[in-house]
């Protein structure tokens, strides 16, 4: 098994190109299944969640071809409808294949979703809208089986926002003859992006980017070429890698409009930035202020996916900070490894009380999930001595060339095999 080895204490300086977005790519790949033809995705990140999704699509009958960051999906011959257990269990987002396979095949079997170990992550909202669309769903021995004669149009208000449930409903509606109205939809950029892709493919959608979507599906779809947008969470992670080392990092191709809440926190901590012909130039040398209180929220609020990375930074900022995690209940898994590195963090229900210190120490730690894993690498960059992070495969689920990029910024970081 490989591991990441970081020798801390160097301020990161230089430039990094932001990869394509994981959470935008996965639903678009699922959407490609709706069309009996070819989809070409540019700027598609080389990460294991995407390659796992490729393997799933292949198992269903698709042919996939990758050249660098261009991924071609040939979905002319989708004959399967079962998502293989091994992939479905480890990748929660495979659940969004439900909507598209129901649309294409009228039936689907998916393992009850796995993914990051960050809480219960139920799928009740997905199943509720499916039932309203005339889809019969049952759970048998850890597998979800769904089928329908014809997907029915419906009007539905989600009781609260869910990115995945909104995407699944959009995908099913795209294949449904008639008008589906979805209210209280998630407005994350990745949902908007899915709508943009489907529109390009030939689906009629009104309200793109808002919480109310009107979808008229069932139309003839066409071969589509589409560019995956930059990853806002990867951008935020490199920004905070600069912050934790008090460095100066320039982000190329950062989706700046989607980073507002992250940049607000960065500024509050003392970070400085400006935009210069498409680049985001950041200076973290004055980072020194704690964040008295911050809640994770649905977009455009501060994203839960940035919470552990922020926690690592705040662990190095003297004074008291509080983060309230409002989206996923078990997302404080890095508290114990951070505390072993010398941080002083106390968890009280949904709150993490962080008493910052300037003296993190290198340790042997274990990544347990994607974002928490990245946060431990950041902590290692700021710690005295050597930090070894086991289970880097979690980090490769979502970050392309993470260690190589940090090393290019001057971090002393290697992958030991
Ligand atoms: C997506 C993102 C993930 C991000 C999250 C919140 C992808 C592949 N993943 O996950 O990175 O952290 O949005 O921005 O895009 N919930 C229910 N019942 C449901 C569905 C969700 O109770 O049927 C709850 C969840 O437990 C959670 C909240 O709703 O508390 C939000 O979850 P949701 O937006 O669905 O997250 P995901 O789509 O799984």
């Amino acid at each position: 098994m490989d591991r990441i080895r970081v020798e801390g204490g160097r301020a990161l300086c230089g430039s990094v190109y932001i990869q394509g977005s994981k959470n935008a790519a996965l639903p678009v790949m699922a959407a490609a299944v709706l069309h009996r033809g070819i989809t070409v995705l540019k700027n598609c990140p080389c990460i294991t969640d995407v390659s796992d999704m490729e393997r799933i699509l292949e198992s269903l009958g698709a042919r996939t071809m990758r050249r660098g960051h261009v991924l071609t999906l040939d979905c002319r011959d989708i004959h399967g409808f079962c998502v293989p257990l091994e992939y479905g269990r480890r990748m929660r987002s495979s659940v969004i294949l439900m909507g598209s396979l129901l649309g294409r095949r009228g039936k689907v079997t998916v393992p009850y979703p796995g993914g990051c170990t960050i809480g219960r992550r139920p799928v009740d909202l997905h199943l509720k809208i499916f039932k309203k669309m005339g889809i019969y769903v049952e759970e048998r021995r850890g597998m979800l089986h769904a089928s329908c004669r014809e997907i029915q149009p419906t009007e539905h208000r989600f009781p609260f926002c869910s990115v995945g449930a909104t995407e699944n409903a959009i995908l099913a509606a795209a294949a449904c003859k008639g008008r589906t109205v979805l209210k209280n939809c998630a407005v994350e950029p990745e949902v908007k992006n899915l709508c943009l892709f489907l529109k390009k493919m030939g689906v009629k959608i009104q309200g793109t980017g808002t919480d109310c979507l009107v979808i008229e599906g069932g139309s003839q779809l066409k071969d589509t070429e589409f560019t995956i947008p930059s990853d806002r969470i990867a951008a935020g992670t490199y920004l905070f890698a600069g912050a934790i080392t008090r460095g100066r990092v320039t982000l190329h191709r950062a989706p700046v409009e989607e980073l507002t809440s992250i940049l607000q926190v960065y500024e509050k901590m003392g970070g400085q930035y400006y935009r210069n012909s498409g680049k985001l130039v950041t200076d973290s040398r004055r980072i020194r202020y704690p964040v008295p209180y911050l809640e994770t929220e649905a977009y455009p609020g501060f994203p839960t996916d940035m919470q552990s990375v922020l926690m690592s930074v705040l662990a190095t900022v003297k004074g008291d900070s509080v983060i309230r995690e409002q989206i996923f209940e078990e997302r404080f898994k890095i508290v114990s490894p951070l505390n072993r590195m010398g941080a002083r963090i106390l968890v009280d229900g949904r709150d993490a009380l962080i008493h910052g210190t300037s003296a993190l120490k290198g340790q042997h730690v274990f990544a347990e999930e994607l974002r928490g894993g990245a946060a431990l690498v950041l902590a290692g960059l700021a710690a005295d001595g050597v930090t070894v992070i086991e289970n880097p495969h979690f980090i490769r689920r979502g970050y392309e060339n993470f260690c190589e990029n940090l090393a290019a910024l001057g971090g002393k970081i290697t992958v030991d095999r």
Side-chain angles (χ1 to χ4, degrees), residues 333-397:
K333 286 211 155 64
I334 64 154
V335 168
S336 126
L338 278 182
N339 281 345
R340 283 202 295 111
M341 293 177 76
R344 289 165 62 192
I345 306 169
L346 220 120
V347 174
D348 179 10
R350 288 189 166 247
D351 294 340
L353 319 174
I354 304 154
H355 184 73
T357 156
S358 54
L360 291 186
K361 289 195 175 51
Q363 262 289 356
H364 190 170
V365 293
F366 290 79
E368 287 188 62
E369 40 96 11
L370 164 61
R371 306 298 172 191
L376 290 175
V377 173
L378 263 54
L381 289 169
D384 280 341
V386 173
T387 298
V388 174
I389 299 110
E390 302 278 357
N391 297 333
H393 62 91
F394 282 116
I395 298 169
R396 285 193 287 267
R397 283 188 50 202

Side-chain angles (χ1 to χ4, degrees), residues 22-23 26-27 92-93 118 120-127 160-165 167 186 188 190 232 304-305 326-329 331 371:
K22 166 175 100 68
N23 289 354
L26 295 172
R92 181 186 160 82
S93 32
I118 51 171
R120 290 175 298 113
R121 304 192 85 166
V123 285
D124 53 316
L125 299 189
H126 303 238
L127 305 189
F160 57 90
C161 292
S162 157
V163 174
E167 291 170 344
E188 266 65 6
E190 297 76 24
R232 62 193 171 102
T304 173
D305 285 352
Q326 305 214 99
I327 311 292
F328 293 113
E329 69 276 13
R331 218 171 192 179
R371 306 298 172 191

Side-chain angles (χ1 to χ4, degrees), residues 85-289:
L85 194 66
E86 76 172 294
Y87 295 114
R89 278 236 190 279
R90 69 169 178 247
M91 191 171 66
R92 181 186 160 82
S93 32
S94 58
V95 81
I96 44 168
L97 281 161
M98 287 187 87
S100 53
L101 275 171
L102 281 162
R104 177 77 186 261
R105 300 289 331 271
K107 55 187 173 180
V108 60
T109 298
V110 291
Y112 203 86
C116 287
T117 52
I118 51 171
R120 290 175 298 113
R121 304 192 85 166
V123 285
D124 53 316
L125 299 189
H126 303 238
L127 305 189
K128 204 167 163 196
I129 169 80
F130 281 157
K131 281 179 192 158
K132 267 182 100 170
M133 296 176 106
I135 296 158
Y136 175 74
V137 189
E138 61 172 349
E139 190 192 339
R140 271 184 273 129
R141 280 182 253 128
M143 303 294 277
L144 286 169
H145 302 266
S147 58
C148 60
R149 279 238 173 106
E150 205 173 354
I151 301 174
Q152 302 298 321
T154 189
E155 192 167 321
H156 181 74
R157 167 175 283 277
F158 291 102
F160 57 90
C161 292
S162 157
V163 174
T166 303
E167 291 170 344
N168 239 335
I170 293 170
L171 289 168
C176 154
K177 290 193 187 87
R179 196 164 178 266
T180 300
V181 180
L182 302 172
K183 295 180 179 163
N184 200 26
C185 294
V187 295
E188 266 65 6
E190 297 76 24
V191 176
K192 178 178 172 187
N193 186 68
L194 175 62
C195 292
L196 292 174
F197 171 74
L198 287 169
K199 277 166 92 163
K200 202 166 180 202
M201 202 158 73
V203 181
K204 294 193 187 81
I205 304 180
Q206 287 168 36
T208 299
T210 73
D211 69 348
C212 179
L213 296 169
V214 181
I215 300 155
E216 288 195 47
S219 39
Q220 181 71 37
L221 302 179
K222 52 178 186 277
D223 290 356
T224 306
E225 196 176 288
F226 188 76
T227 301
I228 302 296
S230 297
D231 193 310
R232 62 193 171 102
I233 304 302
T237 304
Y238 289 111
L239 172 72
F240 282 7
I244 203 166
T245 61
R246 313 297 190 260
R248 281 177 292 163
V249 174
T250 297
L251 308 179
H252 293 258
R253 296 198 205 120
V256 180
E257 307 71 38
E258 297 170 5
L259 295 176
T260 308
S261 63
I262 296 170
L263 285 169
Q264 272 168 2
V265 173
Y266 179 71
E267 268 193 310
K268 265 191 198 153
M269 294 189 295
Q272 296 174 307
Y273 68 91
Y274 63 90
R275 292 171 78 167
N276 179 8
S277 43
K279 293 175 293 193
L280 184 67
V281 183
T282 75
D283 183 345
S284 299
R285 285 174 297 180
R286 293 190 182 84
I287 292 252
R288 67 169 74 99
Y289 305 109

Side-chain angles (χ1 to χ4, degrees), residues 17-22 43-47 69 228-232 234-235 238 252-253 255 371 397-402 405:
Y17 280 83
I18 304 306
Q19 66 184 66
S21 160
K22 166 175 100 68
N43 196 36
C44 195
C46 298
I47 52 177
H69 289 98
I228 302 296
S230 297
D231 193 310
R232 62 193 171 102
Y238 289 111
H252 293 258
R253 296 198 205 120
R371 306 298 172 191
R397 283 188 50 202
Y399 293 94
E400 182 176 324
N401 294 334
F402 192 50
N405 286 339

